[in-house]
Structure formats: C-alpha cells, structure tokens
Amino acid sequence: MSNQKIWLSSPHMGGTEQNYVNEAFESNWVAPLGPNVTGFEADLEKYIGQNSYVGALSSGTAALHLGLIILGVKAGDEVICQSMTFSASANPIMYQGATPIFVDSEKETWNLCPIALEEAIVDRIAKGNKPKAIIAVHLYGMPYKADEIHTVANKYQIPVLEDSAEALGSHYKKQMCGTFGEISALSFNGNKIITTSGGGAIVAKNKEVKEKAVFLSTQARDNAPHYQHSEVGYNYRMSNICAGIGRGQMEVLDKHVALRRKMNEFYVDYFKNIDGVTVLAEPNDDYFSNHWLSAIIVDPERTHGKNREDMRLALEKENIESRPLWKPMHLQPVYEKYPYYGKDVAEKLFEKGLCLPSGSNLTEDDRSRIANVLNIFFEIAR
Ligand SMILES: *Cc1c(COP(=O)(O)O)cnc(C)c1O
C-alpha cells in the first residue's frame, strides 16, 4: 500500500471542466463575465430549484457579505450567528461594523439551537436592539432544523441568511439547501463538494435581489457611458474561467454526493461495533446530508481513555489528515468578547469531535489504510 497523503477533502475533477475552460480561452472570455458564468448560474438554478436566482461570485464569504448588505445590516446593528461554524460565517458581520451575537448548537444536527435562538432574540429585543439578521449554517452538509429555525425567525420577523457553503446537494423535506434563507450563500472553494478553485454564489428569491448582488459585485457602476457610482461597490464577481470549472463540476455533483455518502457509510459501518464513537447522522428521513465531511464524537470515558486528539495523531502518523470540528466562534480570541446564548453543546462537540477523510475521490485502498490505522488504534484484530 502506498503512503500517499489522504486528505480530509480535496478537489475532484470530473473530466469535462477543461473543455469549458478551453472554450473560454478560444472565445477570449477571460473576464469576470461570459457564457460560463451565465451557464453555471443557470445550472445551479435548475439544480436547487424553488425558482431561485443565482449570482456567481468570487467566494462564499463574498456571498455572505453581500447578503448582509442587501438585508440592510449596517454599523451598530446586531446579527445573530451560529457559534459552531467556520469563521467565514461570522467575519462579514464585522466587515459591516455590526455586532455578532453567537448562539449555541443543538445535539442532533450540531446546528443552530432553536431554543437558544429564541432566548437570544428575546433578550436582545429586551435590551433595545432587535437583531437585523440570523446566520444559520448547515454544518458538514447536515441540514439545520429548518422548520424550527424558520418558525422562530418568522415569529420575530427577522430574515435568515442561510450559509449553505457546505451543503450543496443536501436537502430537508425534499427542499434543497441553499433555498431556505431570505438570501443564501454557496461556496466552491477547493475543499468543498464541488469546486471552481475558489468561488461562491448568492441565492435570491427574486430577480431584483440577484441583480442588486451582481451590481454590487461589479463595483456598483451606474448606467452611464462614463464610470458613475452612487454606492460603494465591490469586486466580487466570479471569473468566466472559474465558472467553466463549475459547469464541469455540476455534471458530477450528484455522483460526488453519492460518493461522499458512501464514505460516510464506511464510517457508520466501521464504528457501529466501537463503543464510545458516534458518527454525525441524519436525525430522521426529513434530512438528507451530502455528508461533505464525515464527523465523529469520541467519548474517552467509553474508549478506555482514548480521545479524539490521540486518534488524530495516530492518523497523522500514517499521513492521513483529520481535523477537530470547527472551534466555536464564542471561544475564538477574535470573538470571545461578544454576547453568547446557550449552554455548552458546541463547546463539548469541539472538545470531542473529529472530521475524518471524506473526499469523493477516496479509493478502496484509502479506506483500507484508514481502517488499518483505526484497528491498531482500537486494538482490534480483524
Ligand atoms: C467554506 C465556508 C464559507 C466560505 O466560503 P469561501 O468560498 O471559502 O469564502 C462560509 N461558511 C462556511 C460554513 C464554510 O464552510
């Protein structure tokens, strides 16, 4: 067996990407607009459905930033954000000079806890500052409790900015992730389920919002022969080269979802006989996760003291990448001074959780190598 690095999640080309990129070169559409951008947007709109309008951008972070701007978030406003997430969910709040209010997760999906969310809203309103938006995340591809979260959001009439960066291909009650928020964000970074090398998209419910996002992403240029600006703009549009990669990736997205789910099944199957290890799983049939990353909780009280860090190091020694879960934002040095609502669910998950190699390009050989390391780690003769 080779000792090549097994990555947590690496780019996986389908084969036709280069044709679209070549087309862009041949027609000289080497710019942040062109037929691939339009084609990629159309492919995404068709895929996620719900009459969505998609604007392709330079990153998922850009999509979240423009989402906050379009929702009217300004300096001094408060924005609620799931604490357990990647920092890119929260950073755009700071770009706007707004204040993040962090909220704990629930134990089933590891996403925003509807009870803690309502506590946070009620308390912020009592303090005289009603939150302007709620950022909810589908972590590792697992849909958040959409019914519960949106019921709370609707009750207080606060728009949800849905961070679906990790959840393209996931759905909840047959509705695609990326279509739940007032505005949603997708990411095509190199480690995501499909990639454009780097890129993202904003998803809107109507044409006007999409057009506003595209306008802001192309320097907010007014309709005039000279360069005329009435608003501050951004350079956030996706290039026609990257979009070409995206068009090719869309052809294999469902295949990649199936392969990531197969990796997840491998772990579910492996750990079912190991006391003290649980794999993040769909709570019931309403949930369908793309299983972008397979994640486990290691409880050292039931594994004879072996913890997730021991496991990470054992894998690393064999050139296999794994990584602790996202460190909650309310525990991050940059964010620890901001308000936090909830208990210690996210904190405990971070303490005990590990993400395992999950790529759609992993082979039978890779799975054997992973199993061998785990067998030795758990001292199993198989
Ligand atoms: C990747 C990611 C983002 C940011 O997307 P980029 O395209 O890398 O800017 C935002 N939120 C979450 C949860 C992510 O995983």
Side-chain angles (χ1 to χ4, degrees), residues 80-279:
I80 289 180
C81 184
Q82 181 167 324
S83 183
M84 178 127 191
T85 185
F86 179 43
S87 65
S89 305
N91 289 339
I93 302 169
M94 307 300 282
Y95 303 165
Q96 286 306 96
T99 303
I101 308 292
F102 294 111
V103 170
D104 203 1
S105 291
E106 36 80 12
K107 285 177 183 163
E108 280 191 309
T109 74
W110 301 0
N111 294 311
L112 203 54
C113 170
I115 298 161
L117 171 65
E118 184 157 17
E119 276 171 20
I121 295 172
V122 168
D123 193 56
R124 297 326 290 179
I125 291 175
K127 288 185 161 68
N129 212 348
K130 181 178 166 180
K132 264 288 183 66
I134 298 163
I135 300 175
V137 191
H138 309 290
L139 226 51
Y140 307 121
M142 184 62 69
Y144 60 71
K145 295 196 166 187
D147 280 353
E148 286 92 331
I149 296 300
H150 288 270
T151 300
V152 173
N154 292 339
K155 182 172 166 189
Y156 297 94
Q157 305 233 309
I158 303 172
V160 173
L161 177 57
E162 178 194 8
D163 182 345
S164 195
E166 303 178 0
L168 182 61
S170 299
H171 45 86
Y172 174 79
K173 293 188 172 174
K174 301 273 184 277
Q175 183 180 334
M176 283 289 183
C177 291
T179 65
F180 285 94
E182 182 67 33
I183 293 177
S184 308
L186 302 172
S187 168
F188 317 110
N189 200 357
N191 58 350
K192 298 288 155 68
I193 192 143
I194 62 166
T195 183
T196 57
S197 71
I202 189 164
V203 185
K205 293 195 181 307
N206 59 61
K207 200 164 160 234
E208 290 68 38
V209 168
K210 175 196 164 164
E211 280 171 356
K212 178 80 192 190
V214 170
F215 167 77
L216 290 171
S217 76
T218 49
Q219 308 286 21
R221 190 178 169 193
D222 294 339
N223 195 6
H226 56 278
Y227 278 85
Q228 170 86 14
H229 306 275
S230 322
E231 274 182 78
V232 175
Y234 301 84
N235 184 5
Y236 279 173
R237 192 71 163 132
M238 181 179 278
S239 98
N240 195 55
I241 301 294
C242 293
I245 304 173
R247 286 180 88 182
Q249 290 270 281
M250 285 306 287
E251 296 177 10
V252 291
L253 172 55
D254 279 333
K255 202 170 114 197
H256 285 194
V257 171
L259 289 166
R260 297 242 177 196
R261 287 178 61 86
K262 185 174 159 190
M263 275 311 292
N264 187 257
E265 255 173 61
F266 161 74
Y267 291 119
V268 169
D269 191 53
Y270 183 88
F271 289 114
K272 71 172 184 266
N273 300 316
I274 301 207
D275 201 32
V277 179
T278 42
V279 183

Side-chain angles (χ1 to χ4, degrees), residues 310-329:
D310 301 328
M311 191 191 281
R312 192 185 71 77
L313 292 171
L315 289 161
E316 188 177 76
K317 237 176 90 207
E318 296 304 322
N319 213 15
I320 299 169
E321 184 182 35
S322 66
R323 195 171 298 152
L325 304 190
W326 299 124
K327 180 174 179 178
M329 291 303 115

